[in-house]
Amino acid sequence: MMLTPAHHFRDIERKPEYLQPEKCVPPPYPGPAGAMWFIRDGCGIACAIVTWFLVLYAEFVVLFVMLIPSRDYAYSIVNGILFNLLAFLALASHCRAMLTDPGAVPKGNATKEFIESLQLKPGQVVYKCPKCCSIKPDRAHHCSVCKRCIRKMDHHCPWVNNCVGENNQKYFVLFTMYIALISLHALIMVGFHFLRCFEEDWTKCSSFSPPTTVILLILLCFEGLLFFIFTSVMFGTQVHSICTDETGIERLKRKHQPREYRGSWKLVQDIFGGRFSLNWFNPFSGPWHPKPLSDRDWVQQVASTSETDNTEMTEERSGESKDEDSVEVTDE
């Protein structure tokens, strides 16, 4: 049978030479499990520092402007403990989201030996990322900031100086939730403090002068309102992505890939670590223990009813994979 150009295209795609593995440097010896992950990006580092500064500023105003000068000791103790607990959990979640490997694909693994070890069969294809020279598993995307392909990448967030992916999405969800909660708590306390200062003498409701107190409270009110809206939207977006099993990149590209639907609750359990418990809200508890990628995870099966349909789908997905290589989504 004479092969058409399309059939020839599909045939060479299954060969290691098509991916030019000779241009890939073999990956270095893998580091120890749990090795530190930190992105050296100037913008991301600056945003992370600003995030901590804003939380610490809110901490300063809440404690030294509103709670400590208050004569209602029960009010000060209860709100002080609650605010500090939420702030601690928010910063802990931020650190875990920033320092956790989001699911990076081994860099430079598109070698001839590795591709041949997959023992590709007709109808199976593998895609190489030309930027980090790695074999891209299904639903992996390249991040130009992290300079790696990230499994189930949702987006790159400069506020945590990291990608939000398969392994750290729980921490990012907790970070947005706790920031939204402390922002709301701060706004409520600012409202009560203004009412009390209007009813009493301004010189007695704060350790600072009235003008300084007003400026500090207004800045905190502006910060709290801004971040409450921002993080609430991000929290809702992340929960929606988890429940629909669709990442931000996939939603942006309008890609509706057929996948087995396991139910929203099962998907939430996978992200937060099993059955519902207090560990869901604990940033020190891991979401789950991902297994190493097997050969089946690296290879993508192109299912079709005929060889011609198979070829067309292969060509289409090859074009999509080229577009995905340059995708970068941030939540700036």
Side-chain angles (χ1 to χ4, degrees):
M1 183 180 77
M2 183 177 296
L3 292 177
T4 63
H7 286 82
H8 181 66
F9 173 85
R10 192 196 65 174
D11 185 59
I12 64 174
E13 190 178 31
R14 296 199 303 266
K15 296 180 180 179
E17 290 79 12
Y18 176 77
L19 300 176
Q20 298 178 327
E22 66 278 357
K23 295 184 179 180
C24 293
V25 179
Y29 184 78
M36 182 63 69
W37 173 274
F38 184 77
I39 303 300
R40 295 176 178 83
D41 175 57
C43 177
I45 294 174
C47 289
I49 293 175
V50 169
T51 300
W52 275 68
F53 171 78
L54 292 174
V55 174
L56 295 178
Y57 170 78
E59 182 82 18
F60 169 78
V61 176
V62 167
L63 289 180
F64 295 99
V65 177
M66 293 188 288
L67 296 184
I68 292 180
S70 176
R71 301 174 189 176
D72 189 342
Y73 297 111
Y75 172 85
S76 297
I77 292 174
V78 171
N79 283 280
I81 293 175
L82 179 59
F83 187 87
N84 280 278
L85 177 62
L86 292 175
F88 171 76
L89 291 173
L91 294 179
S93 301
H94 183 270
C95 284
R96 292 303 301 273
M98 180 172 59
L99 302 178
T100 300
D101 182 347
V105 177
K107 197 172 185 178
N109 67 345
T111 60
K112 183 176 181 180
E113 293 77 12
F114 180 75
I115 297 173
E116 289 179 343
S117 69
L118 298 178
Q119 298 180 349
L120 301 181
K121 301 176 183 178
Q124 292 181 329
V125 294
V126 291
Y127 297 113
K128 184 192 97 170
C129 176
K131 296 184 179 180
C132 59
C133 209
S134 60
I135 299 298
K136 296 176 64 174
D138 191 23
R139 306 185 71 183
H141 300 275
H142 184 86
C143 175
S144 60
V145 180
C146 298
K147 296 179 175 58
R148 298 287 290 275
C149 281
I150 308 297
R151 300 194 304 272
K152 205 176 177 181
M153 173 182 168
D154 187 86
H155 67 287
H156 183 92
C157 179
W159 295 105
V160 298
N161 188 36
N162 201 359
C163 276
V164 178
E166 186 175 74
N167 295 345
N168 68 342
Q169 190 172 24
K170 171 188 175 178
Y171 308 129
F172 182 76
V173 172
L174 292 181
F175 168 66
T176 57
M177 182 184 72
Y178 288 129
I179 290 294
L181 289 177
I182 64 173
S183 299
L184 179 61
H185 190 200
L187 287 172
I188 294 174
M189 285 191 291
V190 168
F192 278 114
H193 198 75
F194 267 121
L195 291 176
R196 194 184 68 178
C197 290
F198 281 129
E199 294 175 355
E200 301 178 2
D201 187 356
W202 274 87
T203 58
K204 297 180 180 180
C205 69
S206 176
S207 303
F208 298 89
S209 63
T212 303
T213 300
V214 171
I215 292 175
L216 292 174
L217 291 178
I218 290 177
L219 290 176
L220 178 60
C221 186
F222 177 77
E223 174 193 340
L225 183 61
L226 179 65
F227 278 91
F228 173 72
I229 296 174
F230 177 73
T231 54
S232 296
V233 172
M234 286 302 303
F235 175 77
T237 302
Q238 288 298 303
V239 172
H240 179 265
S241 295
I242 294 172
C243 293
T244 57
D245 195 21
E246 184 180 42
T247 66
I249 290 180
E250 292 168 350
R251 185 168 57 253
L252 183 67
K253 294 174 69 65
R254 297 293 189 269
K255 290 183 62 177
H256 300 283
Q257 297 179 347
R259 287 190 295 270
E260 179 185 357
Y261 182 70
R262 295 177 293 159
S264 300
W265 187 246
K266 177 61 177 175
L267 294 170
V268 173
Q269 287 180 326
D270 289 344
I271 294 296
F272 286 90
R275 296 180 179 179
F276 178 78
S277 66
L278 290 178
N279 278 331
W280 278 25
F281 309 99
N282 179 12
F284 300 100
S285 173
W288 59 303
H289 300 286
K291 300 178 181 178
L293 290 176
S294 63
D295 290 350
R296 185 177 58 182
D297 297 318
W298 296 108
V299 177
Q300 300 182 22
Q301 180 72 36
V302 181
S304 64
T305 57
S306 67
E307 192 173 9
T308 303
D309 294 338
N310 197 340
T311 303
E312 293 174 353
M313 291 181 65
T314 304
E315 292 181 81
E316 180 181 353
R317 295 194 65 181
S318 299
E320 289 177 356
S321 65
K322 293 177 182 178
D323 296 336
E324 290 174 1
D325 293 335
S326 59
V327 169
E328 177 189 352
V329 180
T330 67
D331 57 353
E332 294 177 290

